[in-house]
Amino acid sequence: MDWNNMGNTGADIHVEDVSVIFNGNKGEKTQALSHVSLDINKGEFISLLGPSGCGKTTLLRTIADLQDPTEGSVMIGDMTPAEMRKNRQYGMVFQSPVLYDWRSVLSNVMLPLEIMHVPRPKRFEKAEKMLEMVGLSDYLNHYPFQLSGGMQQRVGIARALVMNPKILLMDEPFSALDEFTREKLNEDLLKVWRKTNKTVVFVTHNIAESVFLSDRVVVLSPHPGRVSAIVDIDLPRPRTRELRDTAEFNEYVVRIRNSFEGVD
């Protein structure tokens, strides 16, 4: 499969003056996002970074057509989020990989293709190639309970990519993992991103993780959620774990930490 020629037309994301207000059961209102504007370029790796309650997941869900904005708009190229979703142009990876215990690794990855009635031989071919890309070729017939947490997340990433979406949306996918596994998966994710050239929007509350992964880090501050800084990460690629020990890396970490607003 030629990942470099898979195409990414329409993957530019334009968020324009988006606000989101949630209505409570007793009539109370909570503003999750306030006038957020953001442009994401085709093929970029963008992290949405901030503490709990800053609206980063709400922003991700708004891009994914899982949450309607109260004000403002989101466009991806010339398509709305709803059009992107209906055309299956989003791949989603969540904090929990949400795998079916009774299905093998291969069968879990094939599930979206089954739903789309892709012919069986093509399903096997695509799923096997995805699992090879995430380093799980030796585990096709294993079941989720036989895998570590990190391996389960790799399965989730393979499943998110098997339909060849234009945009990969990731909501704190590594936050439940230990630090050693997390750092290894950071490196593995960058290898997958380099092969596929997808546009990636990655939610995290880990500053070092955002610096290591991203082309740009979008810092969100809470009450209500708003963009307080956008930091370009001018560090060489490919990135390895040795980069984390450099002065340049730590300068970005400090700079981003100091950019937060409204956080006690």
Side-chain angles (χ1 to χ4, degrees), residues 43-214:
E44 266 195 304
F45 198 120
I46 296 293
S47 284
L48 305 178
L49 173 72
S52 298
C54 72
K56 52 190 184 293
T57 293
T58 300
L59 179 55
L60 188 81
R61 289 174 56 84
T62 303
I63 293 171
D65 192 44
L66 300 176
Q67 172 65 51
D68 291 328
T70 307
E71 299 178 35
S73 64
V74 178
M75 293 293 293
I76 297 87
D78 58 357
M79 299 176 72
T80 66
E83 290 170 329
M84 289 287 289
R85 180 177 55 80
K86 289 175 182 176
N87 284 280
R88 295 173 177 83
Q89 295 304 309
Y90 292 127
M92 294 287 297
V93 182
F94 301 97
Q95 182 173 339
S96 169
V98 197
L99 304 178
Y100 292 104
D101 290 338
W102 60 90
R103 298 179 70 110
S104 68
V105 165
L106 182 64
S107 184
N108 265 287
V109 175
M110 286 195 301
L111 181 59
L113 301 171
E114 290 180 28
I115 294 172
M116 289 303 301
H117 304 293
V118 173
R120 185 176 177 84
K122 198 68 175 178
R123 294 201 304 261
F124 275 91
E125 177 187 352
K126 287 178 176 289
E128 287 176 351
K129 287 180 177 178
M130 289 296 98
L131 287 164
E132 179 183 2
M133 185 177 62
V134 299
L136 291 177
S137 292
D138 294 335
Y139 296 89
L140 302 184
N141 297 315
H142 284 62
Y143 288 84
F145 71 88
Q146 297 174 298
L147 306 181
S148 68
M151 294 169 74
Q152 289 181 20
Q153 277 296 18
R154 292 184 196 206
V155 178
I157 292 169
R159 184 178 58 192
L161 290 170
V162 76
M163 291 294 292
N164 187 25
K166 295 191 186 319
I167 298 174
L168 183 61
L169 303 172
M170 310 185 76
D171 190 6
E172 300 196 61
F174 308 141
S175 62
L177 303 176
D178 65 81
E179 196 66 22
F180 296 103
T181 302
R182 185 175 189 147
E183 289 187 2
K184 178 63 169 65
L185 284 178
N186 284 172
E187 293 182 64
D188 293 342
L189 175 59
L190 288 183
K191 292 176 184 176
V192 170
W193 173 64
R194 197 161 62 243
K195 290 178 181 178
T196 63
N197 195 35
K198 301 299 180 186
T199 303
V200 178
V201 184
F202 185 95
V203 169
T204 182
H205 58 260
N206 186 298
I207 298 174
E209 179 173 65
S210 72
V211 172
F212 184 79
L213 292 172
S214 307

Side-chain angles (χ1 to χ4, degrees), residues 217-221 226-231 255-256 259-261:
V217 176
V218 179
V219 181
L220 295 174
S221 294
R226 62 197 182 281
V227 176
S228 63
I230 299 178
V231 180
R255 178 181 170 189
I256 290 172
S259 71
F260 282 98
E261 300 174 4

